[in-house]
Amino acid sequence: MEYTIGFIGTGNMAGAIINGIVASHMISPSQIALYDINKEKLESYRSQGFAVCKSIEALVSQCKNVVLSIKPQNFTDVLAQIRPAVNKETVFISIAAGISAQFIKENLGYDVKLVRVMPNTPLLLGCGSSAISKIDPVTEEEFSFVKKIFACAGQVETIDSEKMNEVIPLNGSSPAYIYLFAKVFVDRAVSLGFDADTANRLFCNTLIGSAKMMLESGKTHQELIDMVTSPGGTTFAGLKALEENNFNKALIQCFDDTIKRTYELGQ
């Protein structure tokens, strides 16, 4: 095999992973092969020293590791195209929501080596979070290599392969829900006369600090809530409003509907 890793699709998420790999000096651009239907994007990568393949079949036949960085609705067509080029040594890495290991193996007609990953968009800044699972017959050495790839752009957590759909609201979709929370608060602050950038910085830096408290303080979520909340105080009033408007129920519904849609996409 000529290349260490190949990417079928070079969208935002693939670009974030590629940038992380190159920035860490883990693999040189010349050892990374790419294929995309966007020829202009491929030429841009070629000018930076990356290998560009004329077809996805050529990419698969020349790469030890192949990242399937395509939309879920395109999987059937893409898997049909690469099926003739599959061999027992290739490790496929899927970052698509809802596409099961069984679906990929059945469509490739072979018990391929497979690793499923659920990354998120903060990988674009090198501070993402990726949930990753090992599917037999991937070896521990091969799995370790894939984990190192995603560690180049953030944190990596190994989870049970049976929980890859359930992790999506925690990890894959959750940035959108956090952004919505921020948008509501910042928009409200602006309506009260705050400068938008100032309000956004105040909220975001509070969010960063709160995340560090959750990760590093050793306290439970409830203990941290109690630290901020005085009986009858301002935070107490805000939490009461959330409770009266079924905030917890709405979040649970959000979590469950995300998982439900993931299974629907995989059918």
Side-chain angles (χ1 to χ4, degrees):
M1 293 184 180
E2 189 172 350
Y3 304 109
T4 303
I5 190 168
F7 288 78
I8 300 177
T10 58
N12 288 335
M13 194 61 71
I17 300 165
I18 293 166
N19 290 340
I21 293 171
V22 174
S24 71
H25 304 291
M26 179 182 175
I27 306 170
S28 67
S30 63
Q31 279 297 304
I32 301 174
L34 309 172
Y35 175 82
D36 197 288
I37 58 174
N38 186 327
K39 304 306 179 186
E40 184 176 334
K41 185 181 290 187
L42 284 183
E43 286 306 312
S44 174
Y45 274 113
R46 189 199 299 273
S47 68
Q48 300 172 59
F50 292 88
V52 171
C53 295
K54 294 182 178 180
S55 69
I56 54 178
E57 297 95 327
L59 184 146
V60 171
S61 66
Q62 297 179 80
C63 294
K64 165 59 179 172
N65 302 277
V66 176
V67 181
L68 301 170
S69 47
I70 52 178
K71 296 183 183 301
Q73 57 266 34
N74 295 333
F75 258 71
T76 300
D77 289 342
V78 169
L79 294 179
Q81 289 182 60
I82 65 178
R83 180 169 176 163
V86 171
N87 69 72
K88 65 179 182 179
E89 296 304 321
T90 307
V91 178
F92 288 93
I93 304 158
S94 172
I95 63 172
I99 303 299
S100 69
Q102 180 181 357
F103 178 88
I104 293 173
K105 292 190 178 198
E106 287 179 351
N107 279 267
L108 289 179
Y110 189 80
D111 187 23
V112 295
K113 295 181 177 183
L114 177 65
V115 177
R116 288 187 66 192
V117 186
M118 176 44 57
N120 57 25
T121 53
L123 265 73
L124 292 164
L125 300 178
C127 55
S129 179
S130 298
I132 184 169
S133 65
K134 174 180 175 291
I135 314 293
D136 289 336
V138 172
T139 67
E140 288 296 336
E141 182 180 0
E142 291 164 339
F143 187 57
S144 177
F145 176 80
V146 177
K147 286 196 290 185
K148 288 178 182 177
I149 289 171
F150 286 87
C152 292
Q155 297 296 314
V156 176
E157 296 287 345
T158 301
I159 67 168
D160 190 298
S161 61
E162 299 300 319
K163 296 297 182 185
M164 283 304 295
N165 287 349
E166 283 71 17
V167 80
I168 292 174
L170 274 177
N171 184 62
S173 299
S174 54
Y177 309 144
I178 294 169
Y179 302 149
L180 176 59
F181 190 18
K183 182 179 185 302
V184 170
F185 269 52
V186 171
D187 285 352
R188 182 58 177 160
V190 170
S191 75
L192 296 175
F194 284 88
D195 171 73
D197 289 339
T198 300
N200 189 57
R201 285 194 299 271
L202 283 168
F203 187 92
C204 290
N205 283 308
T206 300
L207 185 63
I208 292 169
S210 299
K212 288 180 71 66
M213 288 287 285
M214 287 187 282
L215 287 170
E216 299 175 10
S217 71
K219 297 183 181 298
T220 67
H221 295 132
Q222 189 58 54
E223 287 172 336
L224 291 170
I225 292 170
D226 293 341
M227 285 177 63
V228 187
T229 310
S230 300
T234 55
T235 307
F236 180 86
L239 290 173
K240 184 179 179 182
L242 292 176
E243 181 181 356
E244 290 174 348
N245 285 276
N246 295 316
F247 182 70
N248 287 8
K249 182 179 179 180
L251 289 182
I252 292 171
Q253 188 69 53
C254 167
F255 195 105
D256 292 348
D257 282 1
T258 302
I259 296 172
K260 179 182 177 182
R261 182 56 180 157
T262 300
Y263 279 99
E264 290 172 351
L265 288 171
Q267 293 177 356

